[in-house]
Amino acid sequence: MIRAATVHAQLLLQPRSYASQAKAASRWPLVSRKPSLLGCGRPFYQMGTRGQDENKVLTARGCHTSPESQELAKKSCVPCSSKDLHPMSEDSAKKLLGQVNGWELTTEGGILKLHRAWKVKNFVKGLEFFKLVAAIAEQEGHHPDLHLVGWNNVKIDVWTHSVRGLTDNDFILAAKINHLNLEGILSKRANVQK
Ligand SMILES: C[C@H](O)[C@H](O)[C@H]1CNC2=NC(N)=NC(=O)C2=N1
């Protein structure tokens, strides 16, 4: 636990590097049932029992406390060209939604997708957010559709183009995005969930 804490402390001290966040996010160490560092801005070992307000703030940062969500964020995507990849049913997708807090199912042109929106501080922070997501996407070989509209509204759609539907890859990518440390990027007021 101490070693992992040291690793996490180092991560905290390093300047925000997209590649290191993406790398850390994809090798998510399941060291305890408490949230790890990247999404919460505080080392997991400092986490006590949380009040409702703290949970709201953590969720606003995209941080997720559920062990299932952390487990999913640890996984890696399989190649989208894999013959074993098939689109999942809407029921299967609904069952997995609980592990990607804040995301919802949408259908566009008959294609089932994962969708989530955030309000960011400003246009440049929106692009910074995109760079963090891009690092994970490149690492995983699985890419989201990124939208930055009205200068401070980020919208991300995730789906598997090769099968024109949703696969586990999409939920893994959404979980990794949820575990990014978005402190300093999100607009304070607009993201604390009711
Ligand atoms: C060759 C490369 O692996 C494929 O084109 C990948 C790239 N990233 C991808 N991303 C997504 N979301 N769906 C895909 O089908 C996909 N295919």
Side-chain angles (χ1 to χ4, degrees):
M1 193 70 86
I2 300 299
R3 195 188 66 74
T6 313
V7 168
H8 281 280
Q10 280 163 354
L11 256 185
L12 184 66
L13 298 175
Q14 276 167 3
R16 180 205 306 270
S17 113
Y18 309 119
S20 63
Q21 275 209 57
K23 207 167 177 166
S26 62
R27 286 181 294 105
W28 206 268
L30 186 65
V31 285
S32 94
R33 290 180 61 80
K34 295 177 180 163
S36 185
L37 172 71
L38 283 181
C40 309
R42 282 173 56 201
F44 66 90
Y45 54 86
Q46 282 177 359
M47 288 290 167
T49 50
R50 254 178 250 102
Q52 277 309 313
D53 288 351
E54 194 174 354
N55 259 325
K56 278 186 184 170
V57 172
L58 292 178
T59 304
R61 289 185 195 145
C63 170
H64 292 278
T65 53
S66 84
E68 298 78 11
S69 168
Q70 283 194 35
E71 196 55 32
L72 194 56
K74 252 182 27 170
K75 291 183 177 173
S76 292
C77 296
V78 301
C80 295
S81 51
S82 160
K83 296 281 170 284
D84 303 332
L85 220 49
H86 303 288
M88 68 174 68
S89 68
E90 188 165 352
D91 281 350
S92 302
K94 281 177 180 165
K95 287 189 185 115
L96 285 172
L97 264 188
Q99 297 180 33
V100 284
N101 192 16
W103 292 80
E104 60 187 16
L105 291 179
T106 59
T107 303
E108 205 176 340
I111 298 173
L112 200 54
K113 300 180 182 180
L114 283 176
H115 173 84
R116 185 171 180 182
W118 295 260
K119 200 169 275 300
V120 291
K121 285 182 187 293
N122 55 50
F123 189 78
V124 171
K125 292 297 180 185
L127 295 178
E128 192 176 324
F129 188 178
F130 282 6
K131 284 178 89 173
L132 289 176
V133 174
I136 294 178
E138 285 298 291
Q139 173 121 16
E140 295 300 321
H142 197 66
H143 303 82
D145 297 343
L146 304 176
H147 312 268
L148 178 50
V149 292
W151 65 273
N152 68 342
N153 296 285
V154 164
K155 299 180 183 191
I156 300 184
D157 293 312
V158 179
W159 54 292
T160 303
H161 298 233
S162 59
V163 300
R164 294 175 58 78
L166 285 176
T167 65
D168 286 345
N169 279 355
D170 302 307
F171 287 88
I172 291 168
L173 184 58
K176 289 179 186 287
I177 292 170
N178 273 1
H179 282 77
L180 284 172
N181 180 353
L182 299 179
E183 234 166 315
I185 287 180
L186 298 184
S187 149
K188 284 231 177 357
R189 282 185 308 284
N191 291 288
V192 179
Q193 292 193 337
K194 309 278 172 291

mmCIF file of all heavy atoms in Angstrom, residues 39-62:
data_model
loop_
_atom_site.group_PDB
_atom_site.id
_atom_site.type_symbol
_atom_site.label_atom_id
_atom_site.label_comp_id
_atom_site.label_asym_id
_atom_site.label_seq_id
_atom_site.Cartn_x
_atom_site.Cartn_y
_atom_site.Cartn_z
ATOM 1 N N GLY A 39 -8.695 10.574 -10.964
ATOM 2 C CA GLY A 39 -9.956 11.291 -11.134
ATOM 3 C C GLY A 39 -10.300 12.140 -9.932
ATOM 4 O O GLY A 39 -11.166 12.990 -9.997
ATOM 5 N N CYS A 40 -9.634 11.905 -8.783
ATOM 6 C CA CYS A 40 -10.158 12.570 -7.581
ATOM 7 C C CYS A 40 -9.251 13.683 -7.111
ATOM 8 O O CYS A 40 -9.635 14.468 -6.260
ATOM 9 C CB CYS A 40 -10.316 11.552 -6.448
ATOM 10 S SG CYS A 40 -11.229 10.144 -7.011
ATOM 11 N N GLY A 41 -8.013 13.764 -7.581
ATOM 12 C CA GLY A 41 -7.154 14.856 -7.151
ATOM 13 C C GLY A 41 -6.621 14.636 -5.753
ATOM 14 O O GLY A 41 -5.948 15.476 -5.212
ATOM 15 N N ARG A 42 -6.973 13.499 -5.101
ATOM 16 C CA ARG A 42 -6.406 13.226 -3.774
ATOM 17 C C ARG A 42 -5.997 11.766 -3.746
ATOM 18 O O ARG A 42 -6.706 10.930 -4.277
ATOM 19 C CB ARG A 42 -7.458 13.488 -2.671
ATOM 20 C CG ARG A 42 -7.640 14.960 -2.374
ATOM 21 C CD ARG A 42 -8.793 15.184 -1.413
ATOM 22 N NE ARG A 42 -8.598 14.422 -0.167
ATOM 23 C CZ ARG A 42 -9.623 14.119 0.656
ATOM 24 N NH1 ARG A 42 -10.838 14.477 0.329
ATOM 25 N NH2 ARG A 42 -9.415 13.464 1.759
ATOM 26 N N PRO A 43 -4.824 11.462 -3.137
ATOM 27 C CA PRO A 43 -4.385 10.071 -3.097
ATOM 28 C C PRO A 43 -5.439 9.219 -2.397
ATOM 29 O O PRO A 43 -6.044 9.652 -1.422
ATOM 30 C CB PRO A 43 -3.093 10.130 -2.277
ATOM 31 C CG PRO A 43 -2.661 11.547 -2.308
ATOM 32 C CD PRO A 43 -3.907 12.362 -2.469
ATOM 33 N N PHE A 44 -5.594 7.968 -2.900
ATOM 34 C CA PHE A 44 -6.657 7.119 -2.365
ATOM 35 C C PHE A 44 -6.487 6.927 -0.865
ATOM 36 O O PHE A 44 -7.418 6.868 -0.110
ATOM 37 C CB PHE A 44 -6.655 5.757 -3.076
ATOM 38 C CG PHE A 44 -5.419 4.961 -2.789
ATOM 39 C CD1 PHE A 44 -5.378 4.097 -1.704
ATOM 40 C CD2 PHE A 44 -4.277 5.118 -3.558
ATOM 41 C CE1 PHE A 44 -4.238 3.386 -1.415
ATOM 42 C CE2 PHE A 44 -3.133 4.421 -3.271
ATOM 43 C CZ PHE A 44 -3.106 3.551 -2.199
ATOM 44 N N TYR A 45 -5.201 6.927 -0.388
ATOM 45 C CA TYR A 45 -5.019 6.578 1.037
ATOM 46 C C TYR A 45 -5.463 7.716 1.949
ATOM 47 O O TYR A 45 -5.549 7.583 3.137
ATOM 48 C CB TYR A 45 -3.552 6.197 1.319
ATOM 49 C CG TYR A 45 -2.553 7.227 0.893
ATOM 50 C CD1 TYR A 45 -2.215 8.284 1.727
ATOM 51 C CD2 TYR A 45 -1.972 7.160 -0.371
ATOM 52 C CE1 TYR A 45 -1.312 9.245 1.339
ATOM 53 C CE2 TYR A 45 -1.062 8.116 -0.774
ATOM 54 C CZ TYR A 45 -0.725 9.148 0.069
ATOM 55 O OH TYR A 45 0.170 10.098 -0.322
ATOM 56 N N GLN A 46 -5.751 8.889 1.366
ATOM 57 C CA GLN A 46 -6.236 9.986 2.212
ATOM 58 C C GLN A 46 -7.759 10.000 2.269
ATOM 59 O O GLN A 46 -8.360 10.783 2.964
ATOM 60 C CB GLN A 46 -5.766 11.340 1.666
ATOM 61 C CG GLN A 46 -4.306 11.646 1.999
ATOM 62 C CD GLN A 46 -3.854 12.962 1.390
ATOM 63 O OE1 GLN A 46 -4.635 13.616 0.722
ATOM 64 N NE2 GLN A 46 -2.614 13.310 1.574
ATOM 65 N N MET A 47 -8.353 9.095 1.424
ATOM 66 C CA MET A 47 -9.808 9.128 1.370
ATOM 67 C C MET A 47 -10.380 8.502 2.642
ATOM 68 O O MET A 47 -10.066 7.394 2.985
ATOM 69 C CB MET A 47 -10.308 8.294 0.183
ATOM 70 C CG MET A 47 -10.026 8.957 -1.149
ATOM 71 S SD MET A 47 -11.075 10.402 -1.329
ATOM 72 C CE MET A 47 -10.286 11.154 -2.725
ATOM 73 N N GLY A 48 -11.215 9.287 3.312
ATOM 74 C CA GLY A 48 -11.919 8.681 4.451
ATOM 75 C C GLY A 48 -13.297 8.285 3.954
ATOM 76 O O GLY A 48 -13.511 8.183 2.765
ATOM 77 N N THR A 49 -14.241 8.133 4.909
ATOM 78 C CA THR A 49 -15.623 7.883 4.465
ATOM 79 C C THR A 49 -16.117 9.244 3.969
ATOM 80 O O THR A 49 -15.814 10.277 4.527
ATOM 81 C CB THR A 49 -16.494 7.449 5.662
ATOM 82 O OG1 THR A 49 -16.284 8.394 6.697
ATOM 83 C CG2 THR A 49 -16.075 6.067 6.133
ATOM 84 N N ARG A 50 -16.872 9.209 2.879
ATOM 85 C CA ARG A 50 -17.238 10.465 2.243
ATOM 86 C C ARG A 50 -18.628 10.912 2.619
ATOM 87 O O ARG A 50 -19.540 10.132 2.658
ATOM 88 C CB ARG A 50 -17.188 10.255 0.738
ATOM 89 C CG ARG A 50 -15.980 10.913 0.169
ATOM 90 C CD ARG A 50 -15.859 10.703 -1.299
ATOM 91 N NE ARG A 50 -14.722 9.812 -1.557
ATOM 92 C CZ ARG A 50 -14.867 8.518 -1.847
ATOM 93 N NH1 ARG A 50 -16.046 7.999 -1.961
ATOM 94 N NH2 ARG A 50 -13.826 7.767 -2.024
ATOM 95 N N GLY A 51 -18.794 12.254 2.845
ATOM 96 C CA GLY A 51 -20.147 12.791 2.997
ATOM 97 C C GLY A 51 -20.740 12.953 1.600
ATOM 98 O O GLY A 51 -20.044 12.840 0.595
ATOM 99 N N GLN A 52 -22.036 13.234 1.582
ATOM 100 C CA GLN A 52 -22.735 13.408 0.302
ATOM 101 C C GLN A 52 -22.070 14.505 -0.521
ATOM 102 O O GLN A 52 -21.801 14.350 -1.704
ATOM 103 C CB GLN A 52 -24.203 13.799 0.569
ATOM 104 C CG GLN A 52 -25.099 12.599 0.850
ATOM 105 C CD GLN A 52 -24.963 11.519 -0.213
ATOM 106 O OE1 GLN A 52 -24.991 11.790 -1.414
ATOM 107 N NE2 GLN A 52 -24.770 10.290 0.225
ATOM 108 N N ASP A 53 -21.751 15.654 0.137
ATOM 109 C CA ASP A 53 -21.203 16.784 -0.616
ATOM 110 C C ASP A 53 -19.898 16.402 -1.291
ATOM 111 O O ASP A 53 -19.676 16.709 -2.459
ATOM 112 C CB ASP A 53 -20.951 17.980 0.321
ATOM 113 C CG ASP A 53 -22.289 18.591 0.735
ATOM 114 O OD1 ASP A 53 -23.300 18.145 0.127
ATOM 115 O OD2 ASP A 53 -22.322 19.456 1.618
ATOM 116 N N GLU A 54 -19.040 15.689 -0.542
ATOM 117 C CA GLU A 54 -17.751 15.332 -1.125
ATOM 118 C C GLU A 54 -17.976 14.427 -2.325
ATOM 119 O O GLU A 54 -17.346 14.560 -3.358
ATOM 120 C CB GLU A 54 -16.873 14.623 -0.081
ATOM 121 C CG GLU A 54 -15.423 14.549 -0.542
ATOM 122 C CD GLU A 54 -14.505 13.974 0.536
ATOM 123 O OE1 GLU A 54 -14.996 13.743 1.666
ATOM 124 O OE2 GLU A 54 -13.328 13.746 0.236
ATOM 125 N N ASN A 55 -18.948 13.530 -2.212
ATOM 126 C CA ASN A 55 -19.224 12.645 -3.362
ATOM 127 C C ASN A 55 -19.632 13.452 -4.572
ATOM 128 O O ASN A 55 -19.220 13.212 -5.687
ATOM 129 C CB ASN A 55 -20.365 11.684 -2.999
ATOM 130 C CG ASN A 55 -19.788 10.321 -2.650
ATOM 131 O OD1 ASN A 55 -18.792 9.906 -3.255
ATOM 132 N ND2 ASN A 55 -20.368 9.652 -1.679
ATOM 133 N N LYS A 56 -20.447 14.495 -4.310
ATOM 134 C CA LYS A 56 -20.897 15.315 -5.438
ATOM 135 C C LYS A 56 -19.700 15.975 -6.103
ATOM 136 O O LYS A 56 -19.578 15.990 -7.323
ATOM 137 C CB LYS A 56 -21.866 16.400 -4.932
ATOM 138 C CG LYS A 56 -23.290 15.911 -4.748
ATOM 139 C CD LYS A 56 -24.191 17.090 -4.399
ATOM 140 C CE LYS A 56 -25.618 16.618 -4.111
ATOM 141 N NZ LYS A 56 -26.436 17.724 -3.545
ATOM 142 N N VAL A 57 -18.782 16.487 -5.282
ATOM 143 C CA VAL A 57 -17.615 17.179 -5.849
ATOM 144 C C VAL A 57 -16.775 16.173 -6.628
ATOM 145 O O VAL A 57 -16.385 16.408 -7.755
ATOM 146 C CB VAL A 57 -16.761 17.833 -4.735
ATOM 147 C CG1 VAL A 57 -15.461 18.369 -5.320
ATOM 148 C CG2 VAL A 57 -17.553 18.963 -4.090
ATOM 149 N N LEU A 58 -16.565 14.999 -6.036
ATOM 150 C CA LEU A 58 -15.747 13.982 -6.727
ATOM 151 C C LEU A 58 -16.394 13.611 -8.046
ATOM 152 O O LEU A 58 -15.759 13.501 -9.077
ATOM 153 C CB LEU A 58 -15.600 12.748 -5.835
ATOM 154 C CG LEU A 58 -14.757 12.955 -4.581
ATOM 155 C CD1 LEU A 58 -14.716 11.684 -3.761
ATOM 156 C CD2 LEU A 58 -13.356 13.420 -4.934
ATOM 157 N N THR A 59 -17.722 13.449 -8.036
ATOM 158 C CA THR A 59 -18.400 13.096 -9.289
ATOM 159 C C THR A 59 -18.230 14.218 -10.294
ATOM 160 O O THR A 59 -17.998 14.006 -11.467
ATOM 161 C CB THR A 59 -19.893 12.849 -9.015
ATOM 162 O OG1 THR A 59 -19.971 11.851 -8.008
ATOM 163 C CG2 THR A 59 -20.598 12.372 -10.263
ATOM 164 N N ALA A 60 -18.286 15.470 -9.789
ATOM 165 C CA ALA A 60 -18.140 16.613 -10.697
ATOM 166 C C ALA A 60 -16.785 16.576 -11.381
ATOM 167 O O ALA A 60 -16.638 16.993 -12.522
ATOM 168 C CB ALA A 60 -18.276 17.919 -9.921
ATOM 169 N N ARG A 61 -15.793 16.016 -10.682
ATOM 170 C CA ARG A 61 -14.467 15.949 -11.312
ATOM 171 C C ARG A 61 -14.374 14.742 -12.212
ATOM 172 O O ARG A 61 -13.339 14.465 -12.793
ATOM 173 C CB ARG A 61 -13.375 15.843 -10.235
ATOM 174 C CG ARG A 61 -13.185 17.122 -9.472
ATOM 175 C CD ARG A 61 -12.023 17.000 -8.520
ATOM 176 N NE ARG A 61 -12.059 18.088 -7.549
ATOM 177 C CZ ARG A 61 -11.672 17.941 -6.288
ATOM 178 N NH1 ARG A 61 -11.234 16.769 -5.877
ATOM 179 N NH2 ARG A 61 -11.720 18.944 -5.451
ATOM 180 N N GLY A 62 -15.481 14.008 -12.324
ATOM 181 C CA GLY A 62 -15.426 12.814 -13.153
ATOM 182 C C GLY A 62 -14.847 11.654 -12.390
ATOM 183 O O GLY A 62 -14.497 10.641 -12.961
#
